[in-house]
Amino acid sequence: MLHACFNFGIKGDYDPTRITEKRFYIQHNPVTATKKNTKASQPGNRVLSHEEVRLFWNNIDNTHRVGFVMACAIRFMLATAGQRPKQLLRATWEDYDFQRNCVTLIDRKGRQGTAKIHVVPLTGRAMAILRAVREVSASYPWPFCSGVKGRSGANKGELLPLTLESLKNGFIRYNKALAERASAEGKPAPEPFTARDIRRTVKNLMIDAGINREQRNLLQSHAQNGVDVKHYDRHEHLPEKRESIRRYDALLDKILKGEEITLVNMDTYRQQKELSFS
């Protein structure tokens, strides 16, 4: 953070387009030589089991102080294959196409990042959630809006969609409920998880469903590499995304119904293929 602050000051001093007379007079960035603490920024690796996913889906709406709209938003994250929650919460009713059953999200990296259009196909499960939440939020600009207005800052008094902070609190309250239940049963509390872990969990479920890496990245709007992607590949990839989310939803359906799921052991599969050709 300090490194970024000093860089901001240096660039501001020598930016010919600046409109303010304020100067920082910074000659160099003193934090440049400071080594980054990699241990403090290790990526998470929490992945929910199938049973945890089922319990989460079935019980999030019964969690204390998690409202109906919030529960719908959390389930919608799962139903749409782990889309980024910030983009889902900010999407308005106008971003939804109920003829093609899809939603257009704006994918932007960083404050000055170039906006990228990300079209997500919606399954019957996702459409059912939208129909349910429409009973509450049809008169608001956003599906996932509880009618609460901003209480402070620049948005004070303005109607807002659900915020990431509210979403975070929803996960905290669900984890707390799990911990209290485990304590009452004399069991250790399960490892807590966040919205980011849901996205990672969905990625693993798509692997279980046999969706290849390219299609997984398309569906979750990860950066695509290559000259052809940058210059020529600008269509929405809707057919591929529809097939991927169909396969993912079929697996999710079995998980939510508590059905036994047998996954292919790839090492065993490869050995059998080798024997069949020998």
Side-chain angles (χ1 to χ4, degrees), residues 4-278:
C5 287
F6 279 108
N7 271 351
F8 176 83
I10 293 173
K11 292 178 180 178
D13 281 355
Y14 301 101
D15 183 358
T17 64
R18 63 188 175 87
I19 58 176
T20 177
E21 296 298 322
K22 186 174 183 178
R23 297 287 300 274
F24 296 100
Y25 300 101
I26 301 174
Q27 300 299 317
H28 69 282
N29 191 333
V31 193
T32 299
T34 304
K35 185 179 178 181
K36 184 178 180 180
N37 183 0
T38 55
K39 292 183 178 180
S41 59
Q42 290 180 342
N45 56 9
R46 177 77 163 93
V47 174
L48 278 67
S49 67
H50 290 181
E51 179 64 11
E52 285 179 310
V53 170
R54 187 182 68 83
L55 290 175
F56 185 50
W57 181 282
N58 291 334
N59 295 311
I60 184 60
D61 58 339
N62 296 321
T63 304
H64 180 58
R65 296 184 64 196
V66 174
F68 173 75
V69 176
M70 176 61 71
C72 286
I74 290 174
R75 284 174 173 158
F76 200 66
M77 286 175 56
L78 278 165
T80 54
Q83 302 305 315
R84 293 181 176 91
K86 185 175 183 179
Q87 295 174 14
L88 287 179
L89 296 179
R90 287 186 174 182
T92 66
W93 282 114
E94 293 182 354
D95 295 320
Y96 287 85
D97 184 339
F98 292 99
Q99 297 298 319
R100 295 194 301 168
N101 288 351
C102 59
V103 58
T104 299
L105 304 177
I106 303 299
D107 188 356
R108 187 190 299 274
K109 294 282 187 172
R111 291 179 178 235
Q112 304 299 326
T114 302
K116 181 175 68 172
I117 301 301
H118 175 44
V119 180
V120 181
L122 301 174
T123 63
R125 192 183 315 278
M127 295 299 295
I129 294 172
L130 286 175
R131 286 193 294 270
V133 80
R134 180 182 278 174
E135 298 294 326
V136 176
S137 60
S139 61
Y140 303 139
W142 313 272
F144 303 109
C145 175
S146 59
V148 175
K149 297 182 178 180
R151 299 176 181 176
S152 61
N155 297 319
K156 185 176 181 179
E158 294 183 11
L159 184 66
L160 298 172
L162 294 180
T163 64
L164 290 179
E165 187 65 23
S166 297
L167 187 69
K168 177 182 176 181
N169 289 335
F171 278 83
I172 289 174
R173 287 161 185 160
Y174 179 78
N175 287 317
K176 181 181 178 182
L178 289 184
E180 290 175 348
R181 188 180 308 160
S183 176
E185 297 174 354
K187 300 177 181 178
E191 184 181 357
F193 55 90
T194 65
R196 183 174 297 180
D197 298 323
I198 294 296
R199 184 169 167 83
R200 187 182 305 109
T201 296
V202 169
K203 175 77 74 166
N204 280 267
L205 292 180
M206 287 196 286
I207 295 173
D208 292 344
I211 303 170
N212 66 40
R213 178 180 295 179
E214 180 182 0
Q215 303 305 324
R216 296 195 304 267
N217 288 341
L218 277 175
L219 193 52
Q220 287 198 334
S221 189
H222 285 298
Q224 302 292 304
N225 298 319
V227 175
D228 59 327
V229 173
K230 181 177 180 181
H231 296 287
Y232 308 112
D233 199 5
R234 298 186 182 276
H235 66 84
E236 297 172 347
H237 294 284
L238 261 180
E240 297 96 324
K241 291 178 182 178
R242 288 193 192 279
E243 173 60 20
S244 297
I245 204 166
R246 182 194 66 80
R247 297 174 67 175
Y248 160 74
D249 188 70
L251 176 61
L252 179 62
D253 187 65
K254 291 183 178 180
I255 291 172
L256 298 182
K257 290 178 179 177
E259 297 180 6
E260 184 176 350
I261 300 171
T262 303
L263 302 177
V264 177
N265 185 301
M266 293 308 297
D267 291 334
T268 303
Y269 174 78
R270 293 190 187 98
Q271 291 174 7
Q272 291 175 345
K273 293 291 287 183
E274 290 173 359
L275 290 173
S276 64
F277 285 108
S278 61

